[in-house]
């Protein structure tokens, strides 16, 4: 039963491109919802193909009866060995119906964890798989806890903007705190973050913008 997990994922292409080099997907299981963000570096078409391939690999692994951490480890093990790893980056966030949450991050911006409208820190374990190093977190959520994931385009939207110093480190978390209300849907948070990121770029983002939001809903909201 996944009705008590409110989820949203979306990405938009950089200015002048028709296809996004990022991929944002939601995968619904019997008792869990998983959000996957994949960032693709480089030329737009190559990035689009790479991001779509990795997202599909994660989705395929999640479709089997294995734990999400095993699915992530399987995909990381399948990534190209040797050479540059900079072009492969992803975030995986899963919330189960019982409130158990799992996060994995490979070369992507930090995930924002909101509880009662406040950004809270959380710990992560580092794992190495060949030349890839990724982080994993497991936590138990409370009703209305929210996880906000985003790609490098959103994290870098304030770069060079005089009125937005330290956007990703300070202003972005503060903006999400102000946007929070106990009943705000995941879609609303995601759309607001995409909108403000696009505005910071003067509506001409030089990078693809992608977000995914998962919110653990109390039973009475379902």
């Amino acid at each position: 039963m996944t009705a008590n997990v409110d989820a949203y994922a979306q990405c938009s292409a950089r200015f002048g491109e028709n296809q996004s080099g990022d991929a944002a997907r939601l995968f619904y299981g019997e008792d869990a919802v998983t959000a996957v963000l994949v960032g693709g570096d480089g030329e737009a078409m190559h990035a689009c193909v790479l991001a779509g391939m990795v997202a599909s690999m994660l989705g395929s692994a999640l479709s089997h009866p294995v734990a999400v951490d095993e699915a992530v480890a399987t995909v990381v093990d399948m990534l190209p060995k040797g050479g540059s790893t900079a072009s492969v980056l992803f975030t995986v966030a899963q919330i189960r119906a019982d409130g158990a949450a799992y996060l994995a991050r490979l070369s992507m911006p930090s995930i924002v964890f909101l509880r009662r409208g406040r950004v809270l820190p959380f710990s992560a374990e580092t794992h190495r798989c060949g030349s890839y190093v990724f982080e994993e977190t497991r936590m138990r959520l409370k009703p209305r806890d929210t996880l906000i994931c985003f790609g490098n385009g959103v994290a870098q939207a304030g770069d060079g903007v005089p009125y937005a110093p330290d956007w990703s480190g300070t202003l972005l978390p503060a903006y999400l705190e102000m946007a929070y209300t106990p009943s705000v849907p995941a879609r609303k948070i995601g759309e607001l973050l995409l909108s403000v990121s696009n505005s910071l770029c003067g509506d001409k983002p030089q990078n693809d913008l992608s977000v995914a939001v998962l919110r653990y809903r109390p039973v009475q909201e379902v």
Side-chain angles (χ1 to χ4, degrees):
M1 182 67 174
T2 58
N4 54 346
V5 181
D6 181 24
Y8 173 78
Q10 187 61 265
C11 58
S12 60
R14 70 191 74 174
F15 180 73
E17 298 288 349
N18 294 321
Q19 292 183 308
S20 174
D22 289 358
R25 308 275 177 82
L26 294 173
F27 299 98
Y28 291 85
E30 187 173 328
D31 63 350
V33 179
T34 307
V36 172
L37 283 187
V38 184
D41 288 347
E43 185 270 329
M45 182 56 68
H46 175 268
C48 178
V49 171
L50 175 65
M53 179 186 70
V54 176
S56 295
M57 289 166 61
L58 286 163
S60 178
L62 288 166
S63 69
H64 293 82
V66 298
V68 62
D69 57 345
E70 294 180 29
V72 168
T74 297
V75 171
V76 173
D77 190 53
M78 294 171 64
L79 295 176
K81 303 299 188 293
S84 173
T85 62
S87 60
V88 181
L89 47 157
F90 66 75
T91 293
V92 175
Q94 182 185 85
I95 298 180
R96 302 184 67 84
D98 62 0
Y102 169 86
L103 310 174
R105 187 168 64 92
L106 172 62
S107 303
M108 287 283 268
S110 297
I111 298 164
V112 174
F113 171 41
L114 279 176
R115 171 170 287 170
R116 294 182 178 178
R118 293 290 178 265
V119 174
L120 297 183
F122 57 88
S123 59
E125 296 182 354
T126 300
H127 299 274
R128 177 177 291 276
C129 184
S131 57
Y132 296 91
V133 177
F134 64 99
E135 294 182 350
E136 284 185 323
T137 296
R138 293 169 179 82
M139 62 174 71
R140 179 68 61 174
L141 301 182
K142 296 180 179 180
R144 301 187 179 90
D145 282 354
T146 305
L147 302 170
I148 301 104
C149 316
F150 45 89
N152 286 324
V154 170
Q156 298 167 5
D159 289 0
V161 181
Y163 58 84
D166 194 22
W167 160 246
S168 62
T170 302
L171 296 182
L172 187 155
Y175 177 81
L176 291 172
E177 287 184 340
M178 289 188 295
Y180 174 87
T181 66
S183 60
V184 63
R187 172 180 290 274
K188 183 66 172 179
I189 294 174
E191 289 176 343
L192 285 171
L193 186 52
L194 284 175
S195 177
V196 72
S197 298
N198 191 57
S199 295
L200 285 171
C201 300
D203 295 327
K204 296 181 179 180
Q206 298 305 301
N207 296 297
D208 303 303
L209 304 177
S210 57
V211 301
V213 182
L214 294 178
R215 178 174 174 268
Y216 188 49
R217 294 194 290 199
V219 175
Q220 60 267 29
E221 288 188 15
V222 177

